[in-house]
DNA sequence: CTGTATCCAACTCGATACTG
DNA sequence: CAGTATCGAGTTGGATACAG
């Protein structure tokens, strides 16, 4: 039997964008059920980035996919899009307040990964 | 430009299971690039569960898919599988030490989701 | 109960080409 | 530079049936 306290207390049902959730964490799991959105949050947790810059780090990603993911994240209120009236065009993506609140999640992901890498991975030093 | 300190310091390349990663966090993102594995960790973070119990919570999941995901998590050293010599058979799945170290990640996921739900969701109380 | 085997629908995402 | 359009390969994961 699930212990409601440990798994994230359920005080009823949550309605969000037409969907119903019993536990709020399910919102996160559905939101980040793909390969890319949380990675983009991770990159942006470092500061704002341009479209092309993100594209470079996420290679091999296509413009279509990146564009779609950024739009989804904006609709989820996790990032903000700023267009500069320049030639060539410049668009910067930044974490919204709610996106920035994902920083503790990202930090724990980094900490866990470093520990996991130390146990099971092999490190190749640079010089 | 990515700030290596903030994004999880890169001290070289990491080799793991034949793959090469620049940042350890990439291990996590590749590991949990599907819809189910982190959800299973979330359920098991509450204590061990049997196959059928997990299946019930993850509906609509098929035996094939659940079986495959549990095997993958075991190969990643995140869960442990214990078979009891009973009739009918009983198999219990439990977080391994490395799986338990994901608890802080899960906790932050729960905290963030609750806050997000409070902002954008609508709560329907039980009674 | 705890799986495995087959089949297949849906979705994600990349390749390529093109636009303002 | 920052997208959009079209196409298609690959993967995930469900439906169904069956086994130990």
């Amino acid at each position: 039997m699930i212990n409601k306290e440990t798994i994230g207390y359920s005080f009823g049902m949550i309605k969000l964008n037409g969907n119903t959730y019993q536990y709020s964490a399910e919102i996160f799991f559905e939101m980040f059920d793909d390969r890319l959105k949380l990675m983009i949050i991770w990159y942006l947790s470092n500061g704002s980035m341009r479209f092309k810059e993100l594209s470079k780090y996420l290679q091999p990603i296509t413009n279509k996919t990146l564009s779609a993911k950024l739009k989804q994240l904006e609709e989820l209120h996790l990032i903000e899009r700023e267009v500069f009236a320049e030639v060539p065009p410049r668009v910067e993506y930044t974490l919204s307040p709610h996106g920035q609140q994902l920083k503790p999640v990202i930090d724990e992901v980094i900490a866990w990964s470093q520990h996991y890498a130390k146990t099971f991975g092999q490190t190749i030093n640079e010089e």
Side-chain angles (χ1 to χ4, degrees), chain A:
Chain A
M1 246 275 291
I2 285 279
N3 176 339
K4 289 184 174 184
E5 295 293 342
T6 341
I7 207 159
Y9 184 64
S10 167
F11 40 85
M13 295 303 246
I14 301 156
K15 275 197 149 180
L16 183 61
N17 301 329
N19 296 323
T20 309
Y21 306 91
Q22 183 171 7
Y23 297 101
S24 49
E26 289 165 3
I27 297 171
F28 177 94
F29 292 120
E30 181 171 316
M31 196 174 278
F32 297 109
D33 65 351
D34 64 331
R35 194 172 61 81
L36 293 164
K37 291 209 291 297
L38 195 58
M39 281 197 76
I40 294 174
I41 298 287
W42 171 52
Y43 279 116
L44 292 182
S45 71
N46 193 48
S48 53
M49 286 180 79
R50 301 179 62 170
F51 186 91
K52 174 132 195 200
E53 213 175 344
L54 276 167
S55 175
K56 193 179 64 187
Y57 286 114
L58 291 164
Q59 280 311 312
I61 197 175
T62 61
N63 286 0
K64 187 198 78 171
T65 301
L66 180 54
S67 178
K69 293 301 167 185
L70 290 168
K71 195 168 291 182
Q72 289 164 23
L73 286 169
E74 202 186 350
E75 281 164 4
L76 292 166
H77 311 282
L78 298 185
I79 66 172
E80 282 157 11
R81 181 174 179 275
E82 187 176 8
V83 185
F84 295 84
E86 301 175 6
V87 177
R90 177 159 65 105
V91 181
E92 297 233 328
Y93 292 92
T94 314
L95 290 188
S96 73
H98 277 280
Q100 289 185 35
Q101 281 159 18
L102 280 167
K103 195 79 169 61
V105 175
I106 299 292
D107 288 342
E108 293 295 344
V109 163
I110 294 171
W112 181 87
S113 303
Q114 284 174 345
H115 189 263
Y116 189 89
K118 256 174 216 154
T119 306
F120 299 110
Q122 197 183 351
T123 303
I124 298 130
N125 289 318
E126 260 159 358
E127 68 235 292

